[in-house]
Amino acid sequence: MFSLGDNNRYLLFSEPTDMIKSFHTLCGLMTNTMGANPHNGDVFICTASPKLDIQY
């Protein structure tokens, strides 16, 4: 079951992130950049990359 609460640690990744990447790639990004373990129950908050050029 997925739940969030006071017992979780929340980590904000401050750089825009390409959210199209796979789960394993995002885990590697958190491990290599933040030195954090994505498998220990921590919650990682990422922001998506802004779209600078939108074409219709």
Side-chain angles (χ1 to χ4, degrees):
M1 171 170 254
F2 178 77
S3 64
L4 300 174
D6 293 341
N7 57 345
N8 294 96
R9 188 169 71 149
Y10 298 88
L11 302 166
L12 176 64
F13 187 68
S14 60
E15 299 177 20
T17 306
D18 181 6
M19 300 307 287
I20 296 174
K21 294 181 179 183
S22 70
F23 177 76
H24 297 292
T25 304
L26 291 170
C27 285
L29 184 65
M30 298 304 126
T31 301
N32 295 335
T33 307
M34 301 178 77
N37 179 3
H39 301 287
N40 67 358
D42 290 343
V43 178
F44 296 92
I45 303 168
C46 301
T47 58
S49 300
K51 299 290 182 188
L52 299 177
D53 183 23
I54 300 174
Q55 299 178 358
Y56 294 94

